Amino acid sequence: MTDDSPVNLTEKEYSIIDMLQSLGLPRTEATAIVCLKDCRELRSLHIELVSGLRQPEVSVAMRPLRDRGWVDERSEKKNKGKGRPVKYYQLTVPFPQIVQILEEEFLKDNEEKMIALKRLRELEIIMQN
């Protein structure tokens, strides 16, 4: 995907979105990441056109991505000074690093669940005696 010409997401990119969702990311965040992963910077409108997300969905998706430090946002005033500024977004963390972070979070979460299951088994044994 280039920075200046809207294109549709490919089947591969939809698969990546699905996989990101399976790791716990909301659909809108996963979609925004996929739109940005191969670009230097995209306008909000471009993300809307490529992804099919509405403007409010793009804005809402970007907030937690900015909070995680994965996305940077900049605003640029329109030439005539009327209307809202144009928002530009870019990933500040390379996509492979995002995948690694998600993997670490997944493993930590599952480790905590395994500990809880082990404790449940131990409690069941104690209760039977």
Side-chain angles (χ1 to χ4, degrees):
M1 190 178 324
T2 63
D3 296 86
D4 52 7
S5 58
V7 296
N8 293 323
L9 294 175
T10 65
E11 198 169 313
K12 176 184 171 187
E13 289 166 323
Y14 280 113
S15 294
I16 294 170
I17 291 168
D18 290 342
M19 287 182 260
L20 290 171
Q21 282 186 265
S22 74
L23 293 170
L25 283 181
R27 179 186 63 83
T28 53
E29 291 176 38
T31 302
I33 288 170
V34 169
C35 287
L36 293 169
K37 76 179 190 62
D38 295 324
C39 300
R40 290 183 309 273
E41 183 178 68
L42 287 180
R43 290 178 297 147
S44 178
L45 177 62
H46 188 118
I47 295 169
E48 294 169 42
L49 293 172
V50 169
S51 67
L53 296 175
R54 295 175 295 121
Q55 187 280 325
E57 291 176 308
V58 173
S59 295
V60 168
M62 293 303 176
R63 189 171 303 118
L65 296 177
R66 283 193 320 266
D67 291 346
R68 288 185 98 154
W70 293 357
V71 169
D72 189 35
E73 174 189 299
R74 75 176 177 89
S75 297
E76 193 173 279
K77 290 199 177 223
K78 293 182 178 179
N79 291 338
K80 298 188 176 153
K82 293 186 178 183
R84 295 181 181 199
V86 177
K87 301 248 183 185
Y88 291 85
Y89 298 100
Q90 67 179 1
L91 283 181
T92 56
V93 175
F95 183 71
Q97 189 176 341
I98 290 173
V99 172
Q100 181 180 350
I101 292 166
L102 292 171
E103 178 183 17
E104 290 168 2
E105 290 173 359
F106 178 82
L107 292 172
K108 181 181 177 195
D109 185 46
N110 281 339
E111 182 180 334
E112 291 170 0
K113 289 177 182 175
M114 291 302 295
I115 290 168
L117 287 168
K118 181 180 177 185
R119 287 185 182 151
L120 282 172
R121 284 190 196 99
E122 291 168 354
L123 286 172
E124 180 62 23
I125 292 170
I126 292 170
M127 292 174 73
Q128 288 178 355
N129 292 334

